[in-house]
């Protein structure tokens, strides 16, 4: 089996499994209990908090543990909107290529009286700082732009956007789920007020994450109840998952530089192999993208059958297009980049990880070439189109 869907989720790192196992066996108490079992769990929790703060370069009080990227995004966005509403500021700037964990809460805010500006990326999938600058108004209460897109891997100029927002005094949220543990992701360097991270994208468990909240930034809790996380996120802490996430993040960050260099070479080899297939296009900027992301569309090929045929051959891939209600929905990211729907339904996203090697890349290129040829040979539309072109060429 060749797993090339690391952007969807990564297999658990051994160190994370060990850390979780250890906590579930030996530190299973409720960290809020004052007896010894509780104290043991609390010690694990506070140790994790310090280690993550060291990685982020922030204070241990500057982030809260959550159930993952989605909760972190929702908390940050709804909280910033609440602060805006109180100040009479109801304008939000975001990008059309955000993850649904950002787009859906903003859609809800739009229904509740907020004015949301969704910026389009350029053809390479990048949001420009100038576009953010032009969109900001007197009543803007939030800017939200992701560090890297989850479909194309394109890196966004969040450092510049952060600087701009700081200068204008506007809260800036960034969904950093795709860069945390993969590329340097330091809140102080980005200049953001809030930053969302999910554990399962770097080898931690699903259902764990955290939200960085700059000291002094207002935070309205999403979940109400007990006084956990200094009253900012109620609910008994998932100490085992937090310990697993911390171990996985430390290991990822430790290996980050070398791994980024290694994956960049493999990524470019994979992209070159796939682009040698006739009538294929690379989606997103060729270089300003995550070291582990290749996203290609093949004319005349739909994403879903492509993924299923690759799966039969033991290759796990993904498509930006999703089948909803029986119809293939083109990817909102590729559509926003200006891709025609016939290409936006046919994207293949391959995301590499620690287990990926050159042999896996070469086998994948072979398999994709075969599968694309097969799907095209079965498509009457594609055949007609090719014959039309041939006839056209002969006539001229
Ligand atoms: C996976 C992902 C999320 C959601 O994180 P969960 O922990 O699965 O809720 C949010 N944003 C981006 C960019 C992602 O890739």
């Amino acid at each position: 089996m060749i797993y090339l869907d690391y952007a969807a989720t990564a297999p658990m790192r051994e160190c994370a499994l060990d850390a979780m196992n250890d906590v579930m066996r030996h530190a299973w108490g409720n960290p809020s209990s004052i007896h010894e079992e509780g104290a043991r769990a609390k010690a694990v929790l506070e140790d994790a908090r310090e280690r993550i703060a060291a990685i982020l370069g922030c204070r241990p009080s500057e982030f809260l543990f959550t159930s993952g990227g989605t909760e972190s995004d929702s908390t940050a966005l709804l909280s910033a909107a609440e602060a805006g509403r109180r100040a009479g500021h109801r304008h939000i700037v975001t990008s059309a290529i955000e993850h649904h964990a950002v787009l859906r809460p903003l859609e809800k805010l739009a229904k509740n009286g907020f004015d949301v500006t969704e910026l389009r990326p350029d053809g390479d999938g990048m949001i420009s700082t100038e576009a953010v600058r032009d969109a900001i108004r007197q009543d803007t209460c939030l800017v939200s732009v992701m560090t890297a897109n989850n479909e194309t891997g394109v890196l966004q100029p969040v450092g510049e956007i952060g600087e701009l927002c700081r200068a204008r005094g506007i809260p800036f949220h960034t969904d950093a789920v795709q860069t945390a543990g993969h590329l340097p992701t330091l809140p102080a360097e980005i200049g953001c007020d809030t930053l969302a991270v999910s554990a399962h994208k770097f080898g931690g468990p699903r259902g764990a994450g955290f939200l960085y909240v700059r000291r002094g930034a207002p935070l309205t809790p999403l979940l109400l109840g007990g006084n956990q996380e200094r009253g900012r996120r109620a609910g008994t802490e998932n100490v085992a998952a937090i310990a697993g996430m911390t171990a996985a993040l430390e290991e990822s960050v430790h290996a980050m530089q070398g791994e980024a260099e290694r994956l960049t070479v493999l990524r470019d080899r994979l992209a070159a192999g796939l682009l040698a297939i006739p009538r294929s296009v690379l989606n997103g900027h060729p270089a300003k993208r995550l070291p582990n992301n290749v996203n290609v569309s093949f004319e005349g090929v739909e994403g879903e059958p492509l993924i299923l045929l690759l799966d039969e051959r033991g290759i796990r891939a993904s498509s930006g297009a999703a089948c909803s209600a029986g119809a293939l929905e083109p990817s909102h990211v590729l559509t926003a980049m200006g891709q025609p729907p016939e290409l936006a339904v046919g994207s293949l996203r391959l995301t590499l990880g620690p287990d990926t090697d050159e042999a896996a890349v070469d086998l994948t290129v072979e398999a994709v070439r075969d599968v694309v040829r097969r799907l095209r040979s079965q498509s009457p539309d594609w055949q007609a189109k090719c014959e039309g072109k041939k006839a056209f060429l002969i006539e001229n």
Side-chain angles (χ1 to χ4, degrees):
M1 191 273 284
I2 298 176
Y3 189 77
L4 292 173
D5 202 11
Y6 282 86
T9 200
M12 291 271 295
R13 288 176 182 268
E14 284 297 324
C15 64
L17 287 168
D18 289 345
M20 290 184 75
N21 208 346
D22 205 41
V23 170
M24 287 189 282
R25 284 182 199 282
H26 307 295
W28 46 264
N30 184 329
S32 299
S33 303
I34 58 173
H35 49 60
E36 196 175 324
E37 266 52 50
R40 207 172 292 149
K42 191 176 167 80
V44 173
L45 186 64
E46 295 317 315
D47 173 61
R49 203 184 297 285
E50 303 231 323
R51 285 156 62 190
I52 289 184
I55 289 171
L56 293 179
C58 72
R59 294 163 188 250
S61 57
E62 282 185 306
F63 64 90
L64 41 141
F65 290 120
T66 67
S67 66
T70 302
E71 185 192 326
S72 296
D73 280 330
S74 266
T75 305
L77 300 168
L78 298 176
S79 171
E82 175 61 19
R85 195 189 54 76
R86 283 199 211 120
H89 293 170
R90 290 171 167 264
H91 178 237
I92 296 171
V93 178
T94 190
S95 84
I97 58 168
E98 296 298 302
H99 191 275
H100 286 126
V102 168
L103 294 177
R104 294 280 187 261
L106 294 184
E107 274 168 27
K108 179 164 178 182
L109 289 170
K111 282 198 191 110
N112 290 324
F114 281 83
D115 190 4
V116 180
T117 303
E118 263 185 28
L119 301 172
R120 308 255 133 210
D122 62 16
D124 280 336
M126 206 172 301
I127 301 297
S128 83
T129 310
E130 289 66 43
V132 176
R133 183 179 293 124
D134 292 346
I136 288 175
R137 311 191 309 217
Q138 279 301 331
D139 63 339
T140 303
C141 64
L142 168 68
V143 170
S144 181
V145 177
M146 67 204 322
T147 55
N149 182 264
N150 49 296
E151 286 186 31
T152 61
V154 174
L155 305 173
Q156 306 300 327
V158 286
E160 279 173 31
I161 296 172
E163 200 177 319
L164 167 69
C165 290
R166 251 185 201 183
R168 302 287 296 268
I170 297 165
F172 175 42
H173 172 66
T174 189
D175 175 333
V177 172
Q178 288 292 332
T179 56
H182 299 274
L183 288 176
T185 304
L186 299 171
E189 256 172 36
I190 295 170
C192 57
D193 294 82
T194 51
L195 177 145
V197 172
S198 169
H200 74 94
K201 304 291 174 78
F202 53 75
R206 276 138 293 275
F210 58 83
L211 175 66
Y212 162 84
V213 182
R214 187 181 51 76
R215 194 160 76 114
L219 189 89
T220 305
L222 186 67
L223 300 180
L224 306 176
N227 206 35
Q228 292 89 352
E229 299 298 291
R230 301 161 147 240
R232 296 181 300 178
R233 199 271 186 182
T236 305
E237 302 87 343
N238 188 348
V239 182
I242 289 167
M245 165 167 71
T246 305
L249 186 60
E250 272 179 349
E251 194 175 85
S252 306
V253 167
H254 183 71
M256 189 161 68
Q257 200 185 341
E259 194 57 1
E261 285 166 17
R262 189 184 75 86
L263 290 175
T264 300
V265 173
L266 292 178
R267 175 195 75 187
D268 292 344
R269 183 181 180 94
L270 179 58
L274 296 179
L275 292 173
I277 297 171
R279 297 191 167 265
S280 55
V281 290
L282 181 72
N283 298 312
H285 196 285
K288 289 180 186 163
R289 65 195 301 139
L290 290 169
N292 75 333
N293 176 298
V294 175
N295 187 318
V296 178
S297 291
F298 303 96
E299 218 181 291
V301 176
E302 285 194 348
E304 200 164 73
L306 179 56
I307 305 305
L308 294 176
L309 288 172
L310 287 174
D311 191 26
E312 275 178 22
R313 292 176 171 230
I315 296 171
R316 314 293 185 238
S318 160
S319 169
C323 203
S324 77
L328 204 58
E329 290 271 336
S331 141
H332 73 281
V333 175
L334 301 183
T335 305
M337 285 162 62
Q339 266 225 6
E342 49 298 2
L343 279 176
V345 293
S347 66
L348 174 69
R349 180 188 71 180
L350 300 168
T351 42
L352 291 52
D355 295 338
T356 315
D357 57 15
E358 203 173 275
V361 164
D362 293 347
L363 280 168
T364 301
V365 170
E366 272 307 298
V368 175
R369 190 180 296 145
D370 283 354
V371 169
V372 166
R373 193 181 295 137
R374 182 162 142 205
L375 286 171
R376 281 175 173 168
S377 74
Q378 291 165 354
S379 155
D381 281 356
W382 176 259
Q383 294 298 323
K385 201 169 166 190
C386 292
E387 299 207 340
K389 287 214 176 84
K390 236 180 268 159
F392 180 81
L393 282 174
I394 292 162
E395 273 166 31
N396 288 277

